[in-house]
Amino acid sequence: MGKIFYIMGKSAAGKDKIYSYLAGDKQLGLQKLILYTTRPIRAEEKNGREYFFTDDKKLKEFEEKDKLIEARAYHTVHGIWTYFTADDGQVDLKKADYLGIGTLESFIKIKKYYGQENVVPIYIQVENGERLTRALEREKRQENPRYAEMCRRFLADEEDFSEENIRNAGIEKRFENVILDVCTEEIIKYIKSVQ
């Protein structure tokens, strides 16, 4: 039976870069579990790679077909952005291992949907000052920087990823992303040990 390796962490912890490295590692052979979002695409992103960038109409279609696994709506300074996971045929645990990315909330719902024994948490953490610096540098590279939204996310993460919530989600192992290559290697070794 395959596993879903699910990456989580606060904003600017390096999740997207680590996800890209792991997805590109041929030895791991992980298939991507791509989430959907209604938020605008960022300059460095590509539709179908990081997310499927979509709209509320598609979200309702999945909901009406009872194929919506989980959804999270964020009231941002630019309006409501929804992130969601759908049972759209991407996952077949009898055939492969998968790589997903999301929040603690989405992790819990994915675990409930696919079974606790089939979903493995990969929790990435970075010291808050470093995270804020990284978030600011990333936002500066955007065509239309959204600094207020960056700040909102930073503060919301403190609550969403509280120690109590991490503990309640059953996450015991953490990966410290001080040096990206070192952190990624530790995660690769861990995934191989579970496969």
Side-chain angles (χ1 to χ4, degrees):
M1 191 65 134
K3 303 281 187 200
I4 298 172
F5 295 94
Y6 206 74
I7 297 174
M8 294 163 284
K10 296 176 182 176
S11 59
K15 300 181 302 290
D16 292 334
K17 285 183 180 174
I18 290 170
Y19 177 93
S20 294
Y21 282 126
L22 297 178
D25 187 315
K26 302 292 185 206
Q27 286 186 333
L28 292 177
L30 301 173
Q31 303 296 311
K32 292 182 187 177
L33 170 59
I34 301 172
L35 279 66
Y36 292 78
T37 184
T38 62
R39 79 155 165 78
I41 191 168
R42 293 179 184 148
E44 69 276 6
E45 293 175 323
K46 183 179 177 184
N47 189 36
R49 187 176 63 197
E50 290 84 8
Y51 295 97
F52 290 118
F53 294 91
T54 190
D55 55 24
D56 290 325
K57 183 181 173 188
K58 188 72 170 172
L59 172 64
K60 286 187 189 239
E61 282 178 28
F62 282 124
E63 201 168 20
E64 288 167 2
K65 293 177 181 174
D66 203 25
K67 296 287 189 177
L68 187 66
I69 297 172
E70 60 86 26
R72 295 151 278 128
Y74 297 99
H75 298 268
T76 75
V77 294
H78 302 284
I80 297 173
W81 292 349
T82 305
Y83 292 78
F84 62 95
T85 309
D87 186 352
D88 59 1
Q90 289 183 64
V91 176
D92 183 348
L93 292 174
K94 292 177 185 166
K95 294 184 178 178
D97 288 325
Y98 294 84
L99 182 65
I101 187 170
T103 64
L104 274 178
E105 181 185 347
S106 65
F107 166 71
I108 291 165
K109 290 178 180 175
I110 293 279
K111 198 166 61 163
K112 183 178 178 184
Y113 191 85
Y114 289 106
Q116 182 170 340
E117 68 282 0
N118 299 320
V119 184
V120 180
I122 306 289
Y123 185 77
I124 300 164
Q125 60 186 26
V126 173
E127 186 272 326
N128 279 340
E130 178 61 24
R131 269 195 328 109
L132 191 55
T133 300
R134 291 177 185 183
L136 183 58
E137 289 304 314
R138 179 176 70 191
E139 208 55 44
K140 283 180 182 178
R141 292 191 301 270
Q142 301 304 309
E143 188 174 320
N144 297 306
R146 295 180 168 101
Y147 297 115
E149 174 57 19
M150 180 200 79
C151 292
R152 184 206 65 79
R153 283 186 70 195
F154 186 86
L155 295 172
D157 279 348
E158 288 304 299
E159 186 176 323
D160 294 344
F161 288 95
S162 70
E163 286 301 315
E164 181 182 1
N165 288 347
I166 292 168
R167 206 171 30 257
N168 289 342
I171 295 170
E172 297 173 4
K173 186 159 184 61
R174 300 173 190 214
F175 299 90
E176 196 75 39
N177 186 12
V178 177
I179 300 169
L180 182 63
D181 291 343
V182 173
C183 181
T184 304
E185 270 307 310
E186 287 176 13
I187 294 169
I188 288 170
K189 285 179 189 170
Y190 177 66
I191 290 172
K192 286 179 177 177
S193 75
V194 173
Q195 283 181 314

